Amino acid sequence: MSDHKFLNKFMHVTERAQAVFGPADHGDMSAPVAHRHDDFEDSSDEQLSHFEQHTDSEGHHYAERKSEA
């Protein structure tokens, strides 16, 4: 299937979904993030603790795994 046909088919499906379910609800973007402090969040925090966040000279953000000392 060509990219053009795939895109047209995909857009048709999303238009039908919007007609059936209504437009997407984005919520209040100014509301603070609600932290649940559950096992899943604790696990995510532990996994992310192995990375350091950096910003390059052009303002792009990236993460690097912390070196094992």
Side-chain angles (χ1 to χ4, degrees):
M1 180 182 296
S2 73
D3 291 341
H4 180 71
K5 285 183 181 180
F6 173 79
L7 184 59
N8 281 340
K9 189 176 236 180
F10 178 77
M11 294 306 291
H12 179 73
V13 169
T14 57
E15 287 172 358
R16 288 293 302 143
Q18 182 179 1
V20 172
F21 298 109
D25 181 15
H26 297 288
D28 183 8
M29 298 304 288
S30 63
V33 175
H35 293 279
R36 299 172 193 245
H37 301 290
D38 57 8
D39 291 340
F40 180 76
E41 186 172 359
D42 292 341
S43 174
S44 296
D45 287 344
E46 194 279 323
Q47 291 173 10
L48 291 173
S49 70
H50 299 284
F51 294 90
E52 292 178 336
Q53 180 180 347
H54 300 281
T55 305
D56 67 13
S57 61
E58 296 179 359
H60 300 114
H61 300 288
Y62 63 97
E64 287 183 333
R65 189 176 301 276
K66 291 180 180 177
S67 61
E68 299 295 326

Short mmCIF file of all heavy atoms in Angstrom, two decimals:
data_model
loop_
_atom_site.label_atom_id
_atom_site.label_comp_id
_atom_site.label_asym_id
_atom_site.label_seq_id
_atom_site.Cartn_x
_atom_site.Cartn_y
_atom_site.Cartn_z
N MET A 1 0.85 -1.17 0.00
CA MET A 1 0.00 0.00 0.00
C MET A 1 0.90 1.23 0.00
O MET A 1 1.82 1.35 0.79
CB MET A 1 -0.90 -0.03 1.24
CG MET A 1 -1.84 1.15 1.33
SD MET A 1 -2.88 1.16 2.82
CE MET A 1 -3.87 -0.29 2.61
N SER A 2 0.62 2.15 -0.88
CA SER A 2 1.44 3.36 -0.95
C SER A 2 1.16 4.26 0.25
O SER A 2 0.13 4.14 0.92
CB SER A 2 1.14 4.12 -2.24
OG SER A 2 -0.12 4.74 -2.16
N ASP A 3 2.11 5.14 0.53
CA ASP A 3 1.96 6.07 1.66
C ASP A 3 0.72 6.94 1.50
O ASP A 3 0.03 7.22 2.47
CB ASP A 3 3.20 6.94 1.79
CG ASP A 3 4.42 6.16 2.24
OD1 ASP A 3 4.26 5.05 2.78
OD2 ASP A 3 5.54 6.67 2.05
N HIS A 4 0.44 7.35 0.26
CA HIS A 4 -0.71 8.21 0.00
C HIS A 4 -2.02 7.47 0.33
O HIS A 4 -2.90 8.02 0.98
CB HIS A 4 -0.70 8.67 -1.45
CG HIS A 4 -1.85 9.56 -1.82
ND1 HIS A 4 -1.93 10.85 -1.35
CD2 HIS A 4 -2.94 9.35 -2.58
CE1 HIS A 4 -3.05 11.39 -1.81
NE2 HIS A 4 -3.68 10.49 -2.57
N LYS A 5 -2.13 6.23 -0.11
CA LYS A 5 -3.35 5.45 0.17
C LYS A 5 -3.49 5.18 1.67
O LYS A 5 -4.58 5.27 2.22
CB LYS A 5 -3.32 4.12 -0.59
CG LYS A 5 -3.60 4.26 -2.05
CD LYS A 5 -3.62 2.90 -2.72
CE LYS A 5 -3.89 3.02 -4.21
NZ LYS A 5 -3.90 1.71 -4.85
N PHE A 6 -2.36 4.85 2.32
CA PHE A 6 -2.40 4.60 3.75
C PHE A 6 -2.86 5.84 4.51
O PHE A 6 -3.72 5.76 5.39
CB PHE A 6 -1.01 4.17 4.26
CG PHE A 6 -0.96 4.06 5.76
CD1 PHE A 6 -1.47 2.94 6.39
CD2 PHE A 6 -0.41 5.07 6.52
CE1 PHE A 6 -1.44 2.84 7.78
CE2 PHE A 6 -0.37 4.98 7.91
CZ PHE A 6 -0.89 3.86 8.53
N LEU A 7 -2.31 7.00 4.16
CA LEU A 7 -2.67 8.24 4.84
C LEU A 7 -4.15 8.57 4.64
O LEU A 7 -4.85 8.94 5.58
CB LEU A 7 -1.80 9.40 4.34
CG LEU A 7 -2.01 10.74 5.03
CD1 LEU A 7 -1.76 10.63 6.52
CD2 LEU A 7 -1.12 11.79 4.42
N ASN A 8 -4.64 8.41 3.41
CA ASN A 8 -6.06 8.66 3.15
C ASN A 8 -6.95 7.73 3.96
O ASN A 8 -7.96 8.15 4.54
CB ASN A 8 -6.37 8.52 1.66
CG ASN A 8 -5.96 9.74 0.88
OD1 ASN A 8 -5.79 10.81 1.42
ND2 ASN A 8 -5.77 9.56 -0.42
N LYS A 9 -6.58 6.46 4.03
CA LYS A 9 -7.37 5.49 4.79
C LYS A 9 -7.34 5.83 6.27
O LYS A 9 -8.36 5.79 6.96
CB LYS A 9 -6.83 4.09 4.54
CG LYS A 9 -7.69 3.00 5.10
CD LYS A 9 -7.12 1.64 4.72
CE LYS A 9 -8.21 0.90 3.99
NZ LYS A 9 -7.81 -0.43 3.57
N PHE A 10 -6.15 6.18 6.78
CA PHE A 10 -6.00 6.54 8.19
C PHE A 10 -6.84 7.77 8.53
O PHE A 10 -7.53 7.80 9.55
CB PHE A 10 -4.52 6.79 8.50
CG PHE A 10 -4.29 7.21 9.92
CD1 PHE A 10 -4.32 6.29 10.94
CD2 PHE A 10 -4.05 8.55 10.24
CE1 PHE A 10 -4.11 6.67 12.26
CE2 PHE A 10 -3.84 8.95 11.54
CZ PHE A 10 -3.87 8.00 12.56
N MET A 11 -6.79 8.78 7.67
CA MET A 11 -7.56 10.01 7.92
C MET A 11 -9.06 9.72 7.89
O MET A 11 -9.82 10.28 8.68
CB MET A 11 -7.18 11.09 6.91
CG MET A 11 -5.75 11.59 7.07
SD MET A 11 -5.34 12.16 8.73
CE MET A 11 -6.33 13.63 8.81
N HIS A 12 -9.49 8.84 7.01
CA HIS A 12 -10.91 8.48 6.94
C HIS A 12 -11.33 7.82 8.25
O HIS A 12 -12.40 8.12 8.80
CB HIS A 12 -11.18 7.55 5.75
CG HIS A 12 -12.60 7.12 5.65
ND1 HIS A 12 -13.60 7.98 5.23
CD2 HIS A 12 -13.20 5.95 5.94
CE1 HIS A 12 -14.75 7.34 5.26
NE2 HIS A 12 -14.52 6.10 5.68
N VAL A 13 -10.50 6.92 8.77
CA VAL A 13 -10.82 6.24 10.02
C VAL A 13 -10.90 7.24 11.17
O VAL A 13 -11.82 7.18 11.99
CB VAL A 13 -9.77 5.14 10.32
CG1 VAL A 13 -9.92 4.60 11.73
CG2 VAL A 13 -9.88 4.02 9.30
N THR A 14 -9.96 8.18 11.25
CA THR A 14 -9.99 9.15 12.34
C THR A 14 -11.19 10.10 12.22
O THR A 14 -11.76 10.49 13.23
CB THR A 14 -8.68 9.96 12.42
OG1 THR A 14 -8.45 10.62 11.18
CG2 THR A 14 -7.51 9.06 12.76
N GLU A 15 -11.57 10.44 11.01
CA GLU A 15 -12.77 11.27 10.83
C GLU A 15 -14.02 10.54 11.29
O GLU A 15 -14.90 11.12 11.92
CB GLU A 15 -12.91 11.69 9.36
CG GLU A 15 -11.90 12.74 8.94
CD GLU A 15 -11.93 13.00 7.44
OE1 GLU A 15 -12.70 12.33 6.71
OE2 GLU A 15 -11.17 13.87 6.99
N ARG A 16 -14.10 9.25 10.98
CA ARG A 16 -15.25 8.45 11.43
C ARG A 16 -15.26 8.35 12.95
O ARG A 16 -16.32 8.44 13.57
CB ARG A 16 -15.22 7.05 10.82
CG ARG A 16 -15.54 7.00 9.35
CD ARG A 16 -17.00 7.36 9.04
NE ARG A 16 -17.91 6.46 9.74
CZ ARG A 16 -19.06 6.84 10.27
NH1 ARG A 16 -19.48 8.08 10.16
NH2 ARG A 16 -19.82 5.98 10.90
N ALA A 17 -14.09 8.16 13.56
CA ALA A 17 -14.01 8.06 15.01
C ALA A 17 -14.47 9.37 15.66
O ALA A 17 -15.20 9.35 16.65
CB ALA A 17 -12.59 7.72 15.45
N GLN A 18 -14.09 10.49 15.08
CA GLN A 18 -14.52 11.77 15.62
C GLN A 18 -16.03 11.94 15.47
O GLN A 18 -16.69 12.46 16.37
CB GLN A 18 -13.80 12.93 14.96
CG GLN A 18 -14.21 14.27 15.55
CD GLN A 18 -13.50 15.46 14.93
OE1 GLN A 18 -12.70 15.31 14.03
NE2 GLN A 18 -13.81 16.64 15.41
N ALA A 19 -16.58 11.48 14.36
CA ALA A 19 -18.02 11.59 14.15
C ALA A 19 -18.78 10.75 15.17
O ALA A 19 -19.85 11.15 15.65
CB ALA A 19 -18.37 11.15 12.73
N VAL A 20 -18.23 9.61 15.54
CA VAL A 20 -18.90 8.71 16.48
C VAL A 20 -18.68 9.16 17.93
O VAL A 20 -19.61 9.25 18.72
CB VAL A 20 -18.41 7.26 16.30
CG1 VAL A 20 -18.95 6.35 17.39
CG2 VAL A 20 -18.80 6.73 14.93
N PHE A 21 -17.42 9.46 18.29
CA PHE A 21 -17.08 9.74 19.68
C PHE A 21 -16.96 11.22 20.02
O PHE A 21 -16.85 11.58 21.19
CB PHE A 21 -15.75 9.06 20.04
CG PHE A 21 -15.79 7.57 19.92
CD1 PHE A 21 -15.11 6.94 18.89
CD2 PHE A 21 -16.52 6.81 20.80
CE1 PHE A 21 -15.14 5.57 18.77
CE2 PHE A 21 -16.57 5.43 20.68
CZ PHE A 21 -15.88 4.80 19.66
N GLY A 22 -16.95 12.07 19.03
CA GLY A 22 -16.77 13.50 19.27
C GLY A 22 -15.30 13.87 19.25
O GLY A 22 -14.43 13.01 19.15
N PRO A 23 -14.99 15.16 19.34
CA PRO A 23 -13.59 15.60 19.29
C PRO A 23 -12.82 15.13 20.52
O PRO A 23 -13.40 14.84 21.57
CB PRO A 23 -13.71 17.12 19.24
CG PRO A 23 -15.04 17.43 19.83
CD PRO A 23 -15.92 16.27 19.50
N ALA A 24 -11.51 15.09 20.37
CA ALA A 24 -10.66 14.66 21.48
C ALA A 24 -10.74 15.66 22.63
O ALA A 24 -10.86 16.86 22.42
CB ALA A 24 -9.21 14.55 21.00
N ASP A 25 -10.67 15.15 23.84
CA ASP A 25 -10.69 15.98 25.04
C ASP A 25 -9.26 16.12 25.52
O ASP A 25 -8.63 15.14 25.93
CB ASP A 25 -11.55 15.33 26.11
CG ASP A 25 -11.62 16.16 27.38
OD1 ASP A 25 -11.25 17.34 27.34
OD2 ASP A 25 -12.05 15.61 28.41
N HIS A 26 -8.72 17.32 25.48
CA HIS A 26 -7.33 17.55 25.87
C HIS A 26 -7.20 17.89 27.34
O HIS A 26 -6.09 17.95 27.85
CB HIS A 26 -6.72 18.67 25.02
CG HIS A 26 -6.65 18.32 23.58
ND1 HIS A 26 -5.77 17.40 23.07
CD2 HIS A 26 -7.38 18.75 22.52
CE1 HIS A 26 -5.95 17.29 21.77
NE2 HIS A 26 -6.92 18.09 21.42
N GLY A 27 -8.28 18.13 28.01
CA GLY A 27 -8.21 18.47 29.42
C GLY A 27 -7.66 19.88 29.63
O GLY A 27 -7.39 20.62 28.70
N ASP A 28 -7.50 20.23 30.87
CA ASP A 28 -6.99 21.55 31.25
C ASP A 28 -5.47 21.52 31.26
O ASP A 28 -4.86 20.92 32.15
CB ASP A 28 -7.54 21.95 32.61
CG ASP A 28 -7.11 23.33 33.05
OD1 ASP A 28 -6.51 24.07 32.23
OD2 ASP A 28 -7.39 23.70 34.20
N MET A 29 -4.85 22.14 30.27
CA MET A 29 -3.39 22.11 30.14
C MET A 29 -2.70 22.94 31.23
O MET A 29 -1.52 22.77 31.47
CB MET A 29 -2.96 22.61 28.76
CG MET A 29 -3.49 21.76 27.62
SD MET A 29 -3.05 20.02 27.73
CE MET A 29 -1.33 20.10 27.35
N SER A 30 -3.43 23.81 31.90
CA SER A 30 -2.82 24.62 32.95
C SER A 30 -2.90 23.95 34.32
O SER A 30 -2.30 24.42 35.29
CB SER A 30 -3.48 26.00 33.02
OG SER A 30 -4.85 25.86 33.36
N ALA A 31 -3.63 22.84 34.41
CA ALA A 31 -3.76 22.13 35.69
C ALA A 31 -2.46 21.39 36.01
O ALA A 31 -1.78 20.89 35.12
CB ALA A 31 -4.91 21.14 35.62
N PRO A 32 -2.10 21.33 37.28
CA PRO A 32 -0.87 20.62 37.65
C PRO A 32 -1.03 19.11 37.43
O PRO A 32 -2.13 18.58 37.44
CB PRO A 32 -0.70 20.95 39.14
CG PRO A 32 -2.06 21.32 39.61
CD PRO A 32 -2.78 21.92 38.43
N VAL A 33 0.10 18.44 37.26
CA VAL A 33 0.09 16.98 37.08
C VAL A 33 -0.27 16.34 38.41
O VAL A 33 0.26 16.71 39.46
CB VAL A 33 1.48 16.50 36.62
CG1 VAL A 33 1.54 14.99 36.56
CG2 VAL A 33 1.84 17.11 35.28
N ALA A 34 -1.19 15.38 38.38
CA ALA A 34 -1.59 14.68 39.59
C ALA A 34 -0.71 13.45 39.77
O ALA A 34 -0.73 12.54 38.96
CB ALA A 34 -3.05 14.26 39.50
N HIS A 35 0.09 13.45 40.82
CA HIS A 35 0.96 12.31 41.11
C HIS A 35 0.20 11.34 42.00
O HIS A 35 -0.37 11.72 43.02
CB HIS A 35 2.25 12.76 41.79
CG HIS A 35 3.12 13.58 40.90
ND1 HIS A 35 3.95 13.00 39.96
CD2 HIS A 35 3.27 14.91 40.78
CE1 HIS A 35 4.58 13.95 39.30
NE2 HIS A 35 4.19 15.13 39.77
N ARG A 36 0.21 10.08 41.63
CA ARG A 36 -0.55 9.08 42.37
C ARG A 36 0.26 8.43 43.49
O ARG A 36 -0.30 7.82 44.39
CB ARG A 36 -1.06 8.00 41.41
CG ARG A 36 -1.97 8.58 40.37
CD ARG A 36 -2.31 7.55 39.32
NE ARG A 36 -2.92 8.21 38.18
CZ ARG A 36 -4.16 8.01 37.80
NH1 ARG A 36 -4.92 7.18 38.44
NH2 ARG A 36 -4.63 8.66 36.78
N HIS A 37 1.57 8.52 43.40
CA HIS A 37 2.46 7.91 44.41
C HIS A 37 2.11 6.44 44.61
O HIS A 37 2.04 5.95 45.72
CB HIS A 37 2.39 8.68 45.73
CG HIS A 37 2.80 10.11 45.58
ND1 HIS A 37 4.10 10.51 45.33
CD2 HIS A 37 2.07 11.26 45.59
CE1 HIS A 37 4.15 11.82 45.22
NE2 HIS A 37 2.94 12.30 45.37
N ASP A 38 1.92 5.74 43.48
CA ASP A 38 1.62 4.32 43.52
C ASP A 38 2.85 3.51 43.09
O ASP A 38 3.92 4.07 42.83
CB ASP A 38 0.42 3.99 42.65
CG ASP A 38 0.60 4.41 41.20
OD1 ASP A 38 1.70 4.84 40.81
OD2 ASP A 38 -0.39 4.32 40.44
N ASP A 39 2.71 2.20 43.04
CA ASP A 39 3.84 1.33 42.69
C ASP A 39 4.37 1.63 41.30
O ASP A 39 5.58 1.60 41.06
CB ASP A 39 3.44 -0.14 42.78
CG ASP A 39 3.20 -0.59 44.21
OD1 ASP A 39 3.70 0.09 45.13
OD2 ASP A 39 2.51 -1.61 44.40
N PHE A 40 3.48 1.92 40.35
CA PHE A 40 3.90 2.21 38.98
C PHE A 40 4.75 3.47 38.94
O PHE A 40 5.80 3.51 38.30
CB PHE A 40 2.69 2.34 38.06
CG PHE A 40 3.06 2.64 36.64
CD1 PHE A 40 3.55 1.65 35.81
CD2 PHE A 40 2.94 3.93 36.14
CE1 PHE A 40 3.90 1.93 34.50
CE2 PHE A 40 3.30 4.22 34.83
CZ PHE A 40 3.77 3.21 34.01
N GLU A 41 4.32 4.51 39.64
CA GLU A 41 5.09 5.76 39.65
C GLU A 41 6.43 5.56 40.35
O GLU A 41 7.46 6.07 39.90
CB GLU A 41 4.29 6.87 40.33
CG GLU A 41 4.99 8.21 40.24
CD GLU A 41 4.16 9.38 40.72
OE1 GLU A 41 3.00 9.19 41.13
OE2 GLU A 41 4.69 10.49 40.69
N ASP A 42 6.44 4.80 41.44
CA ASP A 42 7.69 4.53 42.13
C ASP A 42 8.66 3.77 41.23
O ASP A 42 9.86 4.06 41.20
CB ASP A 42 7.44 3.73 43.41
CG ASP A 42 6.71 4.54 44.46
OD1 ASP A 42 6.72 5.79 44.37
OD2 ASP A 42 6.12 3.93 45.38
N SER A 43 8.15 2.81 40.46
CA SER A 43 8.98 2.04 39.55
C SER A 43 9.54 2.95 38.45
O SER A 43 10.72 2.85 38.10
CB SER A 43 8.16 0.91 38.93
OG SER A 43 8.89 0.25 37.95
N SER A 44 8.72 3.83 37.91
CA SER A 44 9.17 4.77 36.88
C SER A 44 10.25 5.70 37.41
O SER A 44 11.26 5.94 36.75
CB SER A 44 8.00 5.60 36.35
OG SER A 44 7.07 4.79 35.71
N ASP A 45 10.04 6.22 38.61
CA ASP A 45 11.04 7.10 39.22
C ASP A 45 12.37 6.38 39.41
O ASP A 45 13.44 6.96 39.17
CB ASP A 45 10.55 7.62 40.57
CG ASP A 45 9.45 8.66 40.44
OD1 ASP A 45 9.27 9.20 39.33
OD2 ASP A 45 8.77 8.92 41.46
N GLU A 46 12.32 5.11 39.81
CA GLU A 46 13.54 4.35 40.01
C GLU A 46 14.27 4.14 38.68
O GLU A 46 15.48 4.29 38.60
CB GLU A 46 13.22 3.00 40.67
CG GLU A 46 14.42 2.27 41.23
CD GLU A 46 15.20 1.51 40.18
OE1 GLU A 46 14.58 0.96 39.25
OE2 GLU A 46 16.44 1.48 40.28
N GLN A 47 13.53 3.83 37.63
CA GLN A 47 14.14 3.62 36.32
C GLN A 47 14.76 4.91 35.79
O GLN A 47 15.85 4.91 35.22
CB GLN A 47 13.11 3.08 35.33
CG GLN A 47 12.68 1.67 35.63
CD GLN A 47 11.54 1.22 34.73
OE1 GLN A 47 11.20 1.88 33.76
NE2 GLN A 47 10.95 0.09 35.07
N LEU A 48 14.06 6.03 35.96
CA LEU A 48 14.55 7.31 35.46
C LEU A 48 15.73 7.84 36.27
O LEU A 48 16.48 8.69 35.79
CB LEU A 48 13.42 8.34 35.44
CG LEU A 48 12.32 8.07 34.41
CD1 LEU A 48 11.17 9.05 34.60
CD2 LEU A 48 12.88 8.16 33.01
N SER A 49 15.90 7.34 37.49
CA SER A 49 17.00 7.81 38.32
C SER A 49 18.35 7.39 37.75
O SER A 49 19.39 7.91 38.17
CB SER A 49 16.86 7.29 39.75
OG SER A 49 17.10 5.89 39.80
N HIS A 50 18.37 6.48 36.76
CA HIS A 50 19.61 6.03 36.13
C HIS A 50 20.03 6.92 34.96
O HIS A 50 20.99 6.60 34.27
CB HIS A 50 19.46 4.58 35.65
CG HIS A 50 19.17 3.62 36.77
ND1 HIS A 50 20.13 3.19 37.66
CD2 HIS A 50 18.01 3.05 37.17
CE1 HIS A 50 19.59 2.37 38.54
NE2 HIS A 50 18.30 2.27 38.27
N PHE A 51 19.31 8.02 34.73
CA PHE A 51 19.59 8.91 33.61
C PHE A 51 19.81 10.33 34.09
O PHE A 51 19.25 10.75 35.10
CB PHE A 51 18.43 8.91 32.59
CG PHE A 51 18.25 7.59 31.90
CD1 PHE A 51 17.42 6.62 32.43
CD2 PHE A 51 18.92 7.33 30.72
CE1 PHE A 51 17.26 5.41 31.80
CE2 PHE A 51 18.76 6.12 30.07
CZ PHE A 51 17.93 5.15 30.61
N GLU A 52 20.65 11.06 33.34
CA GLU A 52 20.87 12.48 33.60
C GLU A 52 20.34 13.26 32.40
O GLU A 52 20.58 12.89 31.25
CB GLU A 52 22.36 12.79 33.74
CG GLU A 52 22.99 12.20 34.97
CD GLU A 52 24.48 12.49 35.05
OE1 GLU A 52 25.10 12.72 33.98
OE2 GLU A 52 25.02 12.49 36.16
N GLN A 53 19.62 14.34 32.66
CA GLN A 53 19.07 15.17 31.59
C GLN A 53 20.08 16.26 31.25
O GLN A 53 20.68 16.86 32.13
CB GLN A 53 17.76 15.81 32.01
CG GLN A 53 17.16 16.67 30.93
CD GLN A 53 15.85 17.31 31.34
OE1 GLN A 53 15.26 16.95 32.34
NE2 GLN A 53 15.41 18.27 30.58
N HIS A 54 20.26 16.50 29.94
CA HIS A 54 21.17 17.54 29.46
C HIS A 54 20.45 18.40 28.43
O HIS A 54 19.46 17.98 27.84
CB HIS A 54 22.41 16.91 28.80
CG HIS A 54 23.19 16.03 29.72
ND1 HIS A 54 24.05 16.52 30.66
CD2 HIS A 54 23.22 14.69 29.84
CE1 HIS A 54 24.59 15.52 31.32
NE2 HIS A 54 24.10 14.39 30.84
N THR A 55 20.98 19.59 28.21
CA THR A 55 20.47 20.49 27.18
C THR A 55 21.67 20.95 26.35
O THR A 55 22.68 21.41 26.90
CB THR A 55 19.78 21.72 27.80
OG1 THR A 55 18.76 21.26 28.70
CG2 THR A 55 19.15 22.59 26.73
N ASP A 56 21.55 20.82 25.01
CA ASP A 56 22.66 21.24 24.16
C ASP A 56 22.59 22.74 23.88
O ASP A 56 21.70 23.43 24.36
CB ASP A 56 22.72 20.42 22.86
CG ASP A 56 21.54 20.66 21.93
OD1 ASP A 56 20.78 21.63 22.14
OD2 ASP A 56 21.39 19.88 20.98
N SER A 57 23.54 23.25 23.12
CA SER A 57 23.65 24.69 22.87
C SER A 57 22.46 25.24 22.07
O SER A 57 22.23 26.45 22.08
CB SER A 57 24.95 25.00 22.14
OG SER A 57 24.97 24.33 20.88
N GLU A 58 21.72 24.37 21.39
CA GLU A 58 20.55 24.82 20.63
C GLU A 58 19.25 24.65 21.41
O GLU A 58 18.16 24.90 20.88
CB GLU A 58 20.47 24.04 19.31
CG GLU A 58 21.65 24.31 18.39
CD GLU A 58 21.58 23.53 17.10
OE1 GLU A 58 20.63 22.75 16.92
OE2 GLU A 58 22.50 23.69 16.28
N GLY A 59 19.34 24.21 22.66
CA GLY A 59 18.16 24.08 23.50
C GLY A 59 17.46 22.74 23.42
O GLY A 59 16.40 22.56 24.00
N HIS A 60 18.06 21.76 22.73
CA HIS A 60 17.47 20.42 22.65
C HIS A 60 17.78 19.66 23.94
O HIS A 60 18.89 19.71 24.44
CB HIS A 60 18.02 19.65 21.45
CG HIS A 60 17.74 20.33 20.15
ND1 HIS A 60 18.75 20.84 19.36
CD2 HIS A 60 16.58 20.60 19.51
CE1 HIS A 60 18.22 21.39 18.29
NE2 HIS A 60 16.91 21.26 18.36
N HIS A 61 16.78 18.94 24.43
CA HIS A 61 16.96 18.15 25.66
C HIS A 61 17.22 16.69 25.28
O HIS A 61 16.65 16.17 24.35
CB HIS A 61 15.71 18.23 26.53
CG HIS A 61 15.36 19.61 26.95
ND1 HIS A 61 16.09 20.32 27.87
CD2 HIS A 61 14.37 20.43 26.55
CE1 HIS A 61 15.55 21.51 28.03
NE2 HIS A 61 14.51 21.61 27.22
N TYR A 62 18.10 16.06 26.04
CA TYR A 62 18.37 14.64 25.84
C TYR A 62 18.83 14.04 27.17
O TYR A 62 19.13 14.76 28.11
CB TYR A 62 19.43 14.41 24.74
CG TYR A 62 20.79 14.98 25.05
CD1 TYR A 62 21.80 14.18 25.57
CD2 TYR A 62 21.08 16.33 24.83
CE1 TYR A 62 23.05 14.70 25.85
CE2 TYR A 62 22.33 16.85 25.09
CZ TYR A 62 23.31 16.02 25.61
OH TYR A 62 24.54 16.54 25.90
N ALA A 63 18.82 12.73 27.24
CA ALA A 63 19.22 12.06 28.47
C ALA A 63 20.35 11.10 28.17
O ALA A 63 20.43 10.54 27.08
CB ALA A 63 18.04 11.31 29.07
N GLU A 64 21.21 10.94 29.15
CA GLU A 64 22.30 9.98 29.06
C GLU A 64 22.26 9.10 30.30
O GLU A 64 21.95 9.58 31.40
CB GLU A 64 23.67 10.66 29.01
CG GLU A 64 23.96 11.34 27.72
CD GLU A 64 25.36 11.94 27.70
OE1 GLU A 64 25.89 12.29 28.79
OE2 GLU A 64 25.92 12.07 26.60
N ARG A 65 22.55 7.82 30.09
CA ARG A 65 22.61 6.91 31.23
C ARG A 65 23.79 7.33 32.12
O ARG A 65 24.86 7.65 31.64
CB ARG A 65 22.80 5.48 30.74
CG ARG A 65 22.65 4.44 31.84
CD ARG A 65 22.74 3.04 31.29
NE ARG A 65 21.72 2.75 30.30
CZ ARG A 65 20.48 2.35 30.58
NH1 ARG A 65 20.10 2.21 31.84
NH2 ARG A 65 19.63 2.09 29.61
N LYS A 66 23.54 7.37 33.42
CA LYS A 66 24.61 7.74 34.38
C LYS A 66 25.70 6.68 34.32
O LYS A 66 25.43 5.48 34.17
CB LYS A 66 24.06 7.82 35.79
CG LYS A 66 23.11 8.99 35.98
CD LYS A 66 22.60 9.02 37.40
CE LYS A 66 21.65 10.17 37.61
NZ LYS A 66 21.08 10.18 38.97
N SER A 67 26.93 7.11 34.42
CA SER A 67 28.04 6.18 34.41
C SER A 67 28.06 5.39 35.72
O SER A 67 27.78 5.93 36.78
CB SER A 67 29.36 6.90 34.20
OG SER A 67 29.57 7.81 35.25
N GLU A 68 28.38 4.14 35.59
CA GLU A 68 28.45 3.27 36.77
C GLU A 68 29.79 3.51 37.46
O GLU A 68 30.83 3.21 36.94
CB GLU A 68 28.32 1.79 36.37
CG GLU A 68 27.01 1.47 35.67
CD GLU A 68 25.81 1.65 36.56
OE1 GLU A 68 25.91 1.38 37.78
OE2 GLU A 68 24.76 2.06 36.04
N ALA A 69 29.75 4.10 38.65
CA ALA A 69 30.99 4.42 39.36
C ALA A 69 31.31 3.36 40.39
O ALA A 69 30.52 2.70 40.92
CB ALA A 69 30.88 5.77 40.03
#
